[in-house]
């Protein structure tokens, strides 16, 4: 018997903050966050509120999804704790955060479930897929279980597919996770738009790195490759715009001439932030794009403000410039959604600074999308 969308979402997702599989250490913090976000007093109430939120997907203006996976990262790990930390900071900064979301029809549907050793189902053998499905979905009939994803990227992609099949106009707001967790969002958005014959769309990406490798050590989907595959989905032609680049083995000419992206490197932005802002907006308009997804890697921000990340880089963008860009994009274009990625709280003794900025970025992205053209 096939599952309906609600049943499948409630099977492959977990309540907000509970996407990482835990049995003891850290579990209490997960439960405490879910209680605060959902206004619940017990784990039974958490589950009821979680399912109630899933029922709101069909009429929601926006969806929040956590993807707490850092298996696609490289040098240093810890971004799996980013979604939990950012949600906690949103509540700490504004106790009325759940009320804000409810009043604007923004629904937090929880987290993609994460088996910490998995990344994407395409990387798994049939034997491992079968074993993982049996462990993750033990109470599901075997014929249905065989259709369910088990890796975080695959689960997130399936969840967004289900959401957009019910509500193609929903804006998707994601909390990562390493930057590979942007891939399932943009992949599902592109698939939905093609089904509904949507106009061409684009991505504006804040990042210290290009993420434009076609593969890394034989791996197709990871933090260093997602932008390459997103750019292919978009059809190149400058529809992927990157800002803040400053750590690359190749120069800008290489990336722009071979892959058809448009880049604004950090040094030119720092020299004349106003002029580059205008040039960036003018470029996106010149492509004919009127709808955008905004992907914000926290390492695009200078490491003075954002060092709690796997690859902090100096000489980067200021939080004020990035916040101004988000607001400008919301005024000039329709934002289809956005994300904040690579926040890794364990990697800094002063992680509160990074998490605080990330929370501001996330809320600003939601507010810009709600106010954007045709929102």
């Amino acid at each position: 018997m096939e599952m309906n969308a609600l049943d499948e979402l409630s099977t492959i997702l977990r309540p907000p903050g509970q996407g990482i599989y835990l049995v003891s250490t850290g579990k209490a913090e997960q439960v405490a966050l879910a209680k605060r976000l959902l206004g619940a007093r017990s784990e039974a109430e958490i589950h009821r509120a979680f399912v109630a939120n899933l029922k709101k997907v069909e009429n929601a203006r926006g969806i929040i999804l956590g993807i707490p996976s850092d298996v696609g990262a490289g040098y240093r790990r810890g971004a799996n704790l980013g979604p939990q930390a950012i949600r906690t900071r949103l509540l700490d900064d504004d106790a009325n955060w759940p009320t804000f979301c409810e009043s604007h029809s923004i629904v937090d549907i929880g987290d993609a479930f994460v088996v910490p050793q998995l990344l994407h189902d395409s990387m798994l053998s049939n034997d491992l897929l079968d074993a993982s499905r049996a462990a993750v979905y033990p109470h599901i009939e075997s014929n249905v279980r065989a259709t369910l994803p088990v890796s975080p990227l695959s689960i997130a992609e399936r969840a967004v597919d289900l959401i957009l099949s019910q509500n193609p106009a929903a804006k998707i707001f994601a909390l990562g996770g390493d930057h590979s967790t942007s891939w399932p969002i943009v992949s599902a958005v592109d698939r939905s738009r093609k089904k509904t014959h949507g106009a061409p769309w684009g991505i504006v990406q804040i990042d210290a790195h290009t993420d434009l490798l076609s593969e890394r050590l034989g791996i197709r989907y990871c933090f260093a490759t997602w932008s390459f595959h997103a750019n292919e989905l978009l059809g190149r032609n400058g529809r992927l715009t990157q800002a803040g680049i400053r750590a690359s083995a190749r120069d800008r000419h290489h990336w722009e001439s071979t892959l058809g992206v448009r880049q604004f490197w950090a040094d030119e932005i720092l020299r004349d932030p106003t002029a580059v802002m205008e040039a960036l907006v003018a470029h996106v308009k010149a492509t004919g794009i009127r709808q955008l997804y905004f992907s914000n890697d926290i390492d695009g921000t200078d490491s003075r403000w954002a060092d709690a990340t796997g690859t902090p880089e100096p000489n980067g963008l200021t939080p004020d410039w990035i916040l101004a860009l988000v607001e400008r994009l919301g005024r000039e274009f329709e934002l289809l959604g956005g994300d904040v990625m690579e926040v890794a709280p364990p990697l800094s003794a002063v992680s509160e600074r990074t998490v605080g900025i990330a929370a501001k970025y996330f809320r600003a992205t939601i507010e810009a999308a709600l106010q954007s053209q045709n929102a």
Side-chain angles (χ1 to χ4, degrees):
M1 181 177 178
E2 292 186 2
M3 288 182 168
N4 61 35
L6 175 61
D7 289 340
E8 187 168 348
L9 285 170
S10 64
T11 299
I12 65 177
L13 300 179
R14 296 295 184 272
Q18 297 191 3
I20 302 173
Y21 175 68
L22 297 175
V23 294
S24 54
T25 304
K27 182 71 174 179
E29 289 83 354
Q30 285 186 337
V31 172
L33 173 58
K35 285 180 178 178
R36 290 181 68 189
L37 280 170
L38 299 175
R41 293 170 294 180
S42 66
E43 292 196 56
E45 286 189 8
I46 288 173
H47 180 73
R48 286 195 292 271
F50 164 60
V51 174
N53 272 359
L54 294 177
K55 292 178 179 178
K56 300 176 184 177
V57 164
E58 192 171 359
N59 297 308
R61 293 181 68 192
I63 300 295
I64 295 173
L65 175 65
I67 313 173
S69 169
D70 60 9
V71 178
Y75 178 40
R76 302 190 303 168
R77 305 295 174 89
N80 60 328
L81 295 179
Q84 182 174 327
I86 294 170
R87 283 187 175 110
T88 299
R89 184 58 180 261
L90 286 164
L91 286 165
D92 289 345
D93 287 347
D94 181 3
N96 292 317
W97 169 247
T99 302
F100 168 85
C101 290
E102 183 176 4
S103 66
H104 290 90
S105 296
I106 304 296
V107 180
D108 191 331
I109 62 167
D111 290 353
F113 181 65
V114 174
V115 178
Q117 289 75 34
L118 306 184
L119 183 57
H120 193 282
D121 285 1
S122 65
M123 302 177 187
L124 305 181
S125 67
N126 288 334
D127 287 346
L128 185 50
L129 274 170
D130 290 343
S132 294
R133 283 171 174 148
V136 175
Y137 310 116
H139 304 300
I140 304 298
E141 294 180 6
S142 59
N143 62 321
V144 177
R145 187 167 65 207
T147 68
L148 297 177
V150 291
S151 305
L153 299 191
S154 301
I155 288 173
E157 189 166 354
R158 179 59 180 161
V160 180
D161 276 337
L162 290 168
I163 290 161
L164 294 177
S165 69
Q166 298 177 80
N167 184 355
K171 298 176 185 297
I172 308 298
F173 304 105
L175 289 168
D178 70 72
H179 219 152
S180 70
T181 60
S182 289
W183 166 249
I185 309 301
V186 301
S187 178
V189 167
D190 186 70
R191 195 155 39 247
S192 174
R193 294 182 62 77
K194 285 174 178 172
K195 287 179 181 177
T196 58
H197 306 288
W201 61 293
I203 297 172
V204 172
Q205 174 186 351
I206 300 294
D207 212 313
H209 314 92
T210 68
D211 299 354
L212 285 170
L213 300 180
S214 60
E215 56 82 23
R216 187 176 190 266
L217 300 175
I219 301 301
R220 179 177 174 85
Y221 301 123
C222 70
F223 77 128
T225 68
W226 84 273
S227 294
F228 174 87
H229 297 293
N231 189 43
E232 297 300 290
L233 284 182
L234 297 173
R236 302 191 177 189
N237 293 321
R239 292 172 181 163
L240 172 62
T241 304
Q242 300 182 316
I245 305 299
R246 58 193 184 279
S248 172
R250 305 273 193 164
D251 64 13
R252 180 169 64 183
H253 174 74
H254 168 80
W255 299 117
E256 292 188 340
S257 63
T258 61
L259 295 180
V261 302
R262 180 67 168 94
Q263 294 179 339
F264 297 88
W265 282 45
D267 57 351
E268 62 178 312
I269 297 172
L270 295 176
R271 282 196 302 271
D272 196 339
T274 300
V276 175
M277 180 85 70
E278 297 303 321
L280 188 155
V281 171
H283 160 72
V284 177
K285 286 184 175 181
T287 67
I289 294 298
R290 292 296 176 264
Q291 296 172 311
L292 292 173
Y293 182 83
F294 181 69
S295 186
N296 189 353
D297 188 324
I298 198 69
D299 67 32
T301 302
D302 190 280
S303 56
R304 287 176 293 169
W305 294 285
D307 64 337
T309 186
T311 49
E313 300 286 353
N315 305 314
L317 307 182
T318 68
D320 286 347
W321 192 87
I322 294 173
L323 288 168
L325 176 63
V326 173
E327 190 274 335
R328 181 72 181 275
L329 294 176
R331 283 193 286 115
E332 301 279 358
F333 306 95
E334 179 187 356
L335 292 185
L336 300 171
D339 60 50
V340 177
M341 297 290 166
E342 301 275 2
V343 176
L347 298 183
S348 172
V350 288
S351 63
E352 295 85 358
R353 179 175 55 200
T354 304
V355 173
I357 290 169
K360 287 181 180 178
Y361 288 160
F362 192 65
R363 180 158 183 163
T365 301
I366 291 175
E367 290 176 345
L370 291 175
Q371 298 170 12
S372 63
Q373 294 183 14
N374 303 315

